[in-house]
Amino acid sequence: MILGKGHASGKVILFGEHAVVYGRPALAVPVTQVRAEAIVEAGSRGEGLVICAEDLDEELPLDGAPADHPLALVARLTLAHLGLKTSPGWRVRIRSTIPIASGLGSGAAVSAAVARALAEAAGRPLAPATLSAIVFEVDKLHHGIPSGIDNSVICYGQPVYFRREHPPQFFPIGQPFMLAIADSGIASPTRAAVADVRRAWESNPSHFEALFDQIAAIVEAARLAIGSGRPEALGPLMDRNHDILREIGVSSPALESLAAAARRAGAGGAKLSGGGRGGNLIALVTRETAGRVDAALRAAGAANVILTTVEPTDGS
Ligand code: PMV
């Protein structure tokens, strides 16, 4: 018997990754084509809570699970919030179509789905801000010191303009636009990229601060272009943001050849998205160019390409 269900979409960062860790703004949007789902069912008697990550073939009894296991942590934090002191005899089954460690927010979406399903099973749905705070705690295991952008966009399910330690702002989408999201096929933990950027920043803070300021200006211009229905203006901004990310040291040969292929095939612009090194590249496309850019990205080595339309949501 199903006691509760929860799901959450993936996300992409449009502009501002890495600089957002240093207090600059960033823009991110949900990607509804991929998502994580969790279902809570009645378990066997006396078993306590058992979490089953079906895609990974992993079964984790909560009692005795390590404190730093992300699934155990999200379950413990949620049960504590719900005031359930001992783990109930439930099975939580998780499935996700979001590629892992590729910048689409798989960790945060799985956490959000699990927390939502547990809360529904307990008859006490979580407010987005509460959910977001729980997911943020778990994201610290994945990311080290996350900025908070992933949990915000995923838990609110809306386009967000995000600044560290500020409540997320939701921004309007003046006119829908299309993105091709190409998975480089290279799993790249965000934590490592963020740590490398930190070391580089420590060795030359003024140079890096100047680069982050340039990214902040791009984010503001992009927010205006999106809000006023001029998505075609995003292409050159994506190219510039990508150039700066390369200078920061988070691009890679695979991402460079994907970006070049997308631009050659007619994309309005292209940039890496998320932590970088591997993970995803996003390219601005239209109905006319989408097919060509998709094919070019695959020919240039993309493991998968998702075409998504960024559209106004209820709250934007
Ligand atoms: O790799 P992703 O998409 O989870 O995003 C990481 C974004 C960074 O700015 C590099 C880190 C952060 O915590 O914001």
Side-chain angles (χ1 to χ4, degrees):
M1 192 180 67
I2 294 178
L3 305 173
K5 277 185 183 176
H7 67 83
S9 298
K11 68 99 218 320
V12 277
I13 297 182
L14 295 181
F15 294 95
E17 52 275 271
H18 286 291
V20 70
V21 175
Y22 298 80
R24 278 30 167 227
L27 303 179
V29 292
V31 176
T32 50
Q33 280 84 352
V34 286
R35 65 187 215 156
E37 292 174 345
I39 291 173
V40 177
E41 295 173 340
S44 319
R45 267 168 177 254
E47 207 183 29
L49 191 87
V50 178
I51 307 169
C52 313
E54 301 195 336
D55 312 306
L56 306 176
D57 243 345
E58 190 182 340
E59 196 163 295
L60 183 78
L62 187 59
D63 288 339
D68 62 353
H69 192 298
L71 295 176
L73 182 59
V74 72
R76 288 190 178 119
L77 289 172
T78 308
L79 294 177
H81 177 82
L82 296 168
L84 299 174
K85 288 199 187 70
T86 49
S87 38
W90 293 341
R91 274 183 102 71
V92 188
R93 287 173 32 210
I94 306 166
R95 280 193 177 174
S96 173
T97 56
I98 310 174
I100 294 173
S102 65
L104 288 182
S106 99
V110 165
S111 297
V114 168
R116 279 186 170 136
L118 287 171
E120 194 181 288
R124 300 202 19 220
L126 299 170
T130 310
L131 181 68
S132 192
I134 290 174
V135 174
F136 181 65
E137 286 307 308
V138 183
D139 256 11
K140 288 182 184 168
L141 297 176
H142 296 291
H143 281 193
I145 320 160
S147 62
I149 189 167
D150 276 22
N151 51 290
S152 299
V153 64
I154 283 169
C155 295
Y156 287 89
Q158 288 182 44
V160 297
Y161 170 92
F162 181 84
R163 267 192 311 150
R164 202 175 184 138
E165 277 145 35
H166 290 69
Q169 294 177 32
F170 308 108
F171 64 92
I173 310 281
Q175 192 185 308
F177 57 95
M178 278 179 86
L179 295 174
I181 306 172
D183 182 355
S184 67
I186 302 167
S188 167
T190 299
R191 198 186 183 107
V194 169
D196 287 352
V197 173
R198 172 73 54 181
R199 271 189 291 277
W201 173 82
E202 277 163 2
S203 69
N204 194 348
S206 57
H207 178 58
F208 275 73
E209 286 295 321
L211 294 176
F212 295 149
D213 283 342
Q214 290 176 36
I215 292 179
I218 292 171
V219 168
E220 298 301 344
R223 183 190 191 178
L224 271 178
I226 295 172
S228 59
R230 290 179 294 113
E232 64 288 349
L234 297 178
L237 294 171
M238 289 167 80
D239 290 342
R240 262 172 51 211
N241 195 161
H242 182 78
D243 288 345
I244 301 171
L245 287 165
R246 185 194 310 113
E247 198 169 338
I248 285 173
V250 293
S251 189
S252 67
L255 290 168
E256 289 305 312
S257 55
L258 290 175
R263 290 177 192 132
R264 268 199 312 271
K271 67 180 276 294
L272 70 86
S273 171
R277 300 274 163 77
N280 282 291
L281 177 105
I282 56 174
L284 184 71
V285 296
T286 59
R287 266 183 217 295
E288 290 69 42
T289 59
R292 254 192 349 259
V293 172
D294 182 336
L297 286 166
R298 288 177 198 271
N304 188 31
V305 178
I306 297 170
L307 293 173
T308 189
T309 302
V310 180
E311 335 183 71
T313 56
D314 292 348
S316 73

